[in-house]
Structures are given as structure tokens and as C-alpha cells.
Amino acid sequence: MARTLAMFTDTSVCIGCRACEVACKQWNQLPAETPVWTGGYQAQSHFTDKTWRHVKFIEKKDERNEPKWLLMSDVCKHCNNAGCLEACPTGAIYRTPFGTVDISQDICNGCRYCVSACPFGVVAFNHGTGRVNKCSFCVDRTSEGMQTACAKTCPTKSIEFGYRDELAAKAKKRLAALRAQGVKEANLYGEDENGPLGGLNAFFLLMDKPEVYGLPVEPRLPQKPIFKDAGLSAGTAILVGLGAIVAFRQRGGGDNGGEE
Amino acid sequence: MPNLQSPHWPLLIDIYFFLVGLAGGAFMAAGVADIFGSRKDRVVTKVGTYLALLAMLPGPLFLIIDLGMPSRFLHMLMVPKAATTIGMSAINIGPFHIKPYSPMNMGAWALLGFGVCAFIVALTLYLEDKGGTINLAPVRGAFGAIGVALAFFVAAYPGQLLSATAQPFWRNARPLGALFLAIGASTGMATIALILSLRGPEVSGSLAKVRRAYTIAVVLQALALIAVFMAVARGPFWSASRAGLLTSGSYSLAFWVGAVGIGLLAPLILEVRDGFFQGYRQGRGMVAVASLLILVGGFLTKYVMFAVGQG
Ligand code: SF4
Ligand code: SF4
């Protein structure tokens, strides 16, 4: 396996220009969508099958009670332990040699199980093709040694592309710098490979708590407790079976079929 | 609450979950009756096996219709030239793949195996009835035993499939597999009882046994339902607030009247009064009523669990 690639999205320098969304759509040939009314400047309420980079505009009041923006260019997290990948019954979702997660359109049969299994609500069903879509980490660029379209375009370097270990070090330095400037709320999301989901290969520097951005605080791999659940099911199966055996077993020898 | 996407599975999937559970429950009873029952209980084995086969048959069709690309249904089990990095526990054997962490994949395999076993068992019963003297009991025993294990699997896996998602209610309702299994058992055996209640008094002994067995399953179903609620209550608030849709929200009627009243309380009262205290003396009409209650209640229980989680 090649060295793991990653994207680091530093929301503190995002200006909400949505160039990443546009670059993503251009490279991946995704059509524009009619904006929906979200109560603010945010164009969509969440990811769709045609929007794989999605800029969130979150309005908040700061300490002086002045309105302020929290901007965040959201994307598939390319989880090290990915719920979508484990769920997929066809094996359409696979891990690329770069450690990212991609969906093979040749294999997906549109069962939508991955849609329900992503802790971040990333995968979306495409009614036109009958298959599902999400950020591919520009697999057709990265495998040619190019960086992702969104990172290439981002004018403020809010999105950076590179090797995971290098970017993680960079993210920690940036966090320390912000903290030194007194930005106490700043935090890293998904950078820790010992953290939830074994770390995210698209990780973020957030300017507020994850839940403010609609991100789960402790994302879990949905499949993790599956064998424990199976134990519960097996236990119930044994009880149901024993119940039936008790009911059917011969009473008092003779072949009288129970009580007649 | 975090941003999530719903799979938007239609009612068809609900119906599939119900039928496949019913098939599993019926086959389980058929197997137990075959091994532990008397010679007269062969009627249970026969009704149970044919019923299981019949109830599972439309299943694959429903699943295929729901796919975005129905022509690719075989990809559930096999893909020519597949990637090998498709999950941490995935096993690739030639073009086939087995993914223990994907209940949908495991369920597809189990459904295939269950269908084969149910078919062979049904064939042995048919041949014995036709052939007169031939005894296919050993063949039936072998495939019956494997089939019963798979029957439990196909009854439980839809529940586990739901709790292995990120959807707030489902993922916290860990005993959903156990609940679905119990519903499969109660509805499967209730259908057998319903069919037997249409027969003459010569099956009344076997009918009493089936009723005793499904009463136990209904009790387990009640316990599993309580366990689901306890598990959800321990989860984060948004999962508990989904559960609120069941107890006092838009699904409360279906839940209290359907799942609890019709599915659990009414049949239990009927069965306990007549069965345990009076030795199953009630007429066959009452059996039919109790069976229908269990069927309707079982379907509605699965329905509300499905709907409330999908949101
Ligand atoms: S964020 Fe969702 S879609 Fe992306 S890899 Fe993780 S589980 Fe899969
Ligand atoms: S919709 Fe496609 S990618 Fe998603 S789980 Fe089903 S087969 Fe896999």
C-alpha cells in the first residue's frame, strides 16, 4: 500500500467562496443543482449525489453578541474504519491503494445500504443512474499523481492535499498557533488515528464544537457491535427453539400426539 | 443531531422482512416437529415446510425490484474481477465474497442456503407421500438441521441489518435482531396454527402443541421489545426522541394498539386463559383469531421499528 493520502480542511481560513464545490463539479462532471432555502447562504442542506464538496454556512453570535459565520467545506471523511465500506454487500466500495474510500460504479447495484451506514450522511442515491455517489478523492487524479480538484482550487489553502502524516503534523501546528492567539474553541476533528473510526483521512480544524457543524461527536463504526448483537439473537433463537421442543416433545411415551 | 441520509427503503422491504421471518419461524417449527414430535405431528412438518418455501419465494423478487440496478442482483454474492480491499473481515473466494460485517451480504447467502434446504426438505416430504414405502428421514434430518439454523439466521438478520446502520434509532436498538427473530417465530407458528385450524379435529393434538410453542415465542417477543426500549433509552437523546414517536408520537397508535395490544396482550390473554388453564378446549375459531392477531401485531411491530428508524 502506498503512503496514505489525506485532505486537511482548515475552516479558520475558509471564506465561503465555494470554489471547491465548483471545481469538484467540473472535474467530476456533476451538474449544478437548484439551491434550497436553508435560512442562510448555504446552498444545499447537505451532500447530494451531485454535491460531493459542500460548504456549510453556520450563523452564530460571538462573545460581543455580534453575528458571525462559521464556514466549513465538508466532504467524505474517507474513514480508516468506514461504515459504508463494511456495509456494502456487493464489494462496490473498496479501499484504494492510497487509503481512501471509493465506490466502483461498475459494481454498485443500488441497494442503498451504505447510505444508511455512513455516520456522516455522505453517500447519496442517484435516481438517474440507480447507483450511489460520493467524493471519490479524485481517484482518477490522485492515481496520476495529481492533487484533488477542490484542494487545487481553494484560493485560501483552507483545503490542503498531501500525505496524511505530514498534514497531521501541519494541522497540529496550526491548532497550537490558533490556541496561542487565544482561540480556545479551535479543535481538530478526525486527525487522531487512535481516535474514532481509526482516524479520518479527510480531517478538519474546526472553530467550534463538532455538533455545531452537524458532525457526530463520537462517530462509531455501525458494524462494530454486530457479533454481540448476534449473541443476543442466538440466545433468543435457543429459547424459541427450546420452547418449541418442550411443546412438541413426546408426553408419557405412547404415540398419542400430546393431549387428545 | 448529526446530518444523516435515509436509505428510503419502501414498504416492499418491510413486507420482505415480515415474510422471510415468517418463513424462518415456520421452518423451525417444522424441523422441531419432525425430530421431537409424534407421528401425528408430521402434519406440522408438512404445513411448516411448504409454508416456509411459499413465504420465502417472493423474497428475492422483492429485493431485486428495489435495487437501483436490478440486473446486478448477483453482485450481492459474486462479482467477476472484484477488488479485494472491500472490508476488514471480507473473504474473497474466486468471484464470490463473504462479508461477515455486512448483514445484507450474509443475509443474501443465508437466504440462498435456506431456500435450498427448505426445497430439499419439502421434496423429501413430497416423495415420501408419493412413494409410500421410501424413508427419506436421514436426508431430511441433515438438511432440516442446517435449514433450521439458517431459518433462525434469516429471521434475525433483517433486525441486525438495521442496527448495523448509523440511523439514530436503529443503531441504538441493538436487540432488534432478537426481536425480529421472535416475531418470525411467533408469526410463522401462528400461520401454521391458522392453517391447522381449518383442518378437522384429527390435528387438534398437534395444534395444541403449536399453540404452546407460539405462546412461548410471543412471550419472548414481549421481552425483546422491552429490551429494545431499554437499549434505546440508554442511547443519546435524539435516539430516545425517535422512540418517543412510538410511545406518544405519530406511530403511537400503530405501536400501542398494533404492536402491544394486538400483537402481544390480546393473543397472550386468549392463549393463557384457554390453553394453560383450560387445557386447550376452545374451538378452532378462537385459534384462528389468536393467530391472526399475532400476524397483524407482528407485522405492525416490524413496520413501526422500520419506519421510526428510517425517519
Ligand atoms: S465519511 Fe461516510 S462515505 Fe465517507 S468513507 Fe466514511 S463512512 Fe464512507
Ligand atoms: S448502494 Fe451500491 S455502494 Fe452502496 S452498499 Fe449498495 S451496492 Fe454497495
Side-chain angles (χ1 to χ4, degrees), chain A residues 2 9 32 57-58 76 80 96 117 121 143 152 158 206 218 222 252 255:
Chain A
T9 307
F57 290 66
I58 295 150
C76 165
N80 273 330
T96 70
S143 53
K152 170 101 179 154
S158 173
L206 304 176
E218 274 277 317
D255 193 16

Side-chain angles (χ1 to χ4, degrees), chain B residues 215 267-278:
Chain B
T215 308
L268 277 181
I269 291 170
L270 285 178
E271 287 299 327
V272 170
R273 269 190 49 212
D274 172 42
F276 283 74
F277 296 134
Q278 295 176 15

Side-chain angles (χ1 to χ4, degrees), chain A residues 196-217:
Chain A
L197 305 178
L200 312 174
N201 292 330
F203 52 87
F204 301 82
L205 189 150
L206 304 176
M207 296 299 279
D208 210 323
K209 294 196 246 9
E211 55 266 43
V212 174
Y213 294 89
L215 295 167
V217 185

Side-chain angles (χ1 to χ4, degrees), chain A residues 48-64:
Chain A
T48 71
D49 54 317
K50 299 171 189 75
T51 301
W52 302 349
R53 259 283 173 193
H54 174 240
V55 182
K56 290 184 176 171
F57 290 66
I58 295 150
E59 284 172 64
K60 276 206 75 173
K61 292 264 169 76
D62 67 5
E63 326 55 78
R64 294 189 303 278

Side-chain angles (χ1 to χ4, degrees), chain A residues 84 87-90 92-93 103 107-115 132:
Chain A
C84 64
C88 177
T90 66
I93 308 189
I103 303 175
I107 296 177
C108 173
N109 66 10
C111 71
R112 316 191 289 298
Y113 194 26
C114 53
V115 174
V132 296

Side-chain angles (χ1 to χ4, degrees), chain B residues 238-255:
Chain B
W238 56 75
S239 120
S241 73
R242 287 245 144 230
L245 291 181
L246 288 178
T247 51
S248 55
S250 39
Y251 295 103
S252 54
L253 191 70
F255 177 74

